[in-house]
């Protein structure tokens, strides 16, 4: 059996968790391990501020609150994304305006964004699908022309870059996820990156139950008081300790994943050249992080058969994201601007293959072989039908 995902573990994590509990005796948020993770994230992304959160979802919620939305304000995002890209902004009071994706990267189509901007638009939320950067130069240009904020959903984009800049560090806010299905993990967790230091104080207040506890701890104020709305967005230092082990081995994890990714890419290239399947596309200037490897079947029916065939061979695969605009909540909270030319059609075709840190080369080869076998069998039946 080849699983779809195994949570990453390099081997140092449990020692760090033990250190947090037994040596530091600090297991609440913002302990020594959280501080190390903050510094690592700032140094590796160039963001002036990084704050750990309890999930990618709560990073998005913090970003949405920091956008200071008013009822009726609109946010532009792709429909092909995880539900919480949207719910974070719904909780903050926004209306959602969905825009189509590009079929090559499955990222929001930058050429279709500007037409969706109205007087009520306040923010654009690009999602870096599969850790492949959106066309950020165009998106930042649109934001500048219309005075909009940009919140990058970089949940899948840790240690990936666009024209040399880390995903998550380009827009006003960047949101990372350290869920067990992501490249680097702490079980459940995430981080918020902040570009403009003007937002730092408010971000710290929102993250600390609406209080100025951070300023108090730094000795900048002599009273610790309730300043404004907020919630509890700090993860335990035990979780940060686990993440610290992963971040220290980030280079190794990244290399390992990229090796599996390239092996899939190379192994499946003949099928793609024959036009049987579609493969991921990495635009010039994007360095990806092998967050996922997907293939595209001809259509939904073929994908369904392929998935069942692989399952019989003991290979677990996944598809995802029923487009949000066609979900019950998506219809209630938003609208699709323009035509759904690719979102539904391309999401129906996409199948994610097993991808995780430590995936064996033989297992990649076995998956590749199984995909070839499926299409070989399919060609045979097609020929019979034609005869
Ligand atoms: C995983 C993911 C999230 C949510 O992250 P959690 O840590 O699971 O809350 C949001 N957006 C995208 C695109 C994701 O892949």
């Amino acid at each position: 059996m080849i699983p779809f995902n195994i949570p990453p573990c390099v081997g140092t994590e449990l020692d760090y968790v033990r250190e947090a509990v037994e040596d530091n005796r600090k297991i609440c948020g913002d302990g020594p391990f959280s501080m190390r993770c903050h510094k690592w994230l700032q140094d590796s992304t160039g963001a002036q501020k990084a704050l750990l959160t309890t999930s990618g979802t709560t990073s998005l919620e913090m970003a949405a609150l920091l956008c200071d939305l008013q009822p009726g304000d609109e946010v532009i995002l792709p429909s092909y994304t995880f539900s919480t890209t949207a719910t974070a902004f719904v909780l903050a009071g926004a209306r959602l305006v969905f825009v189509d994706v590009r079929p090559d990267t499955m990222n929001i189509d930058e050429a279709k964004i500007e037409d969706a901007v109205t007087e009520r638009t306040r923010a654009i939320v690009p999602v870096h699908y599969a850790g492949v950067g959106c066309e950020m130069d165009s998106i930042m240009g649109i934001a500048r022309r219309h005075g909009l904020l940009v919140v990058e959903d970089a949940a899948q984009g840790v240690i990936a870059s666009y024209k040399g800049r880390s995903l998550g560090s380009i827009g006003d806010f960047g949101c990372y996820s350290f869920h067990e299905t992501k490249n680097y993990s702490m079980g459940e967790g995430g981080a918020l990156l902040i570009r403009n230091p003007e937002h730092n104080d408010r971000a710290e207040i929102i993250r600390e139950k609406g209080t100025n506890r951070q300023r108090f701890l730094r000795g900048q104020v002599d009273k610790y008081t309730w300043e404004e709305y907020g919630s509890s967005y700090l993860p335990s230092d035990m979780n940060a300790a686990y993440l610290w082990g992963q971040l220290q081995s980030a280079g190794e994890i990244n290399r390992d994943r990229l090796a599996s990714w390239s092996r899939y890419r190379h192994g499946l290239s003949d099928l793609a050249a024959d036009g049987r399947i579609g493969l991921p596309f990495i635009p010039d200037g994007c360095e990806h992080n092998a967050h996922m490897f997907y293939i595209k079947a001809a259509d939904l029916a073929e994908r369904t058969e392929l998935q069942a065939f692989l399952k019989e061979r003991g290979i677990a695969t996944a598809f995802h994201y029923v487009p949000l605009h066609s979900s019950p909540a998506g219809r209630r909270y938003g609208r699709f601007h323009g035509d759904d030319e690719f979102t539904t059609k391309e999401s129906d075709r996409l199948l994610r293959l097993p991808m995780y840190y430590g995936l064996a080369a033989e297992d990649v080869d076995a998956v590749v072989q199984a995909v070839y076998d499926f299409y070989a069998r399919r060609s045979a039946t097609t020929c019979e039908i034609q005869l």
Side-chain angles (χ1 to χ4, degrees), residues 55-57 60 81-82 84-85 127 153 155-156 177 179 182 189 321:
S55 65
T57 298
L60 286 159
T81 183
F82 191 58
T84 59
T85 315
V127 178
D153 181 340
Q156 303 176 5
S177 168
H179 186 260
K182 300 304 200 289
Y321 303 156

Side-chain angles (χ1 to χ4, degrees), residues 53-60 80-86 126-130 153-157 175-182 187-191 291-292 320-321 352:
T53 63
T54 49
S55 65
T57 298
T58 53
S59 314
L60 286 159
Y80 185 69
T81 183
F82 191 58
S83 60
T84 59
T85 315
V127 178
H128 303 299
Y129 184 71
D153 181 340
Q156 303 176 5
C175 303
Y176 284 166
S177 168
F178 301 119
H179 186 260
E180 73 163 39
T181 53
K182 300 304 200 289
E188 299 276 356
H291 172 61
M292 69 173 85
H320 57 174
Y321 303 156
R352 298 174 60 183

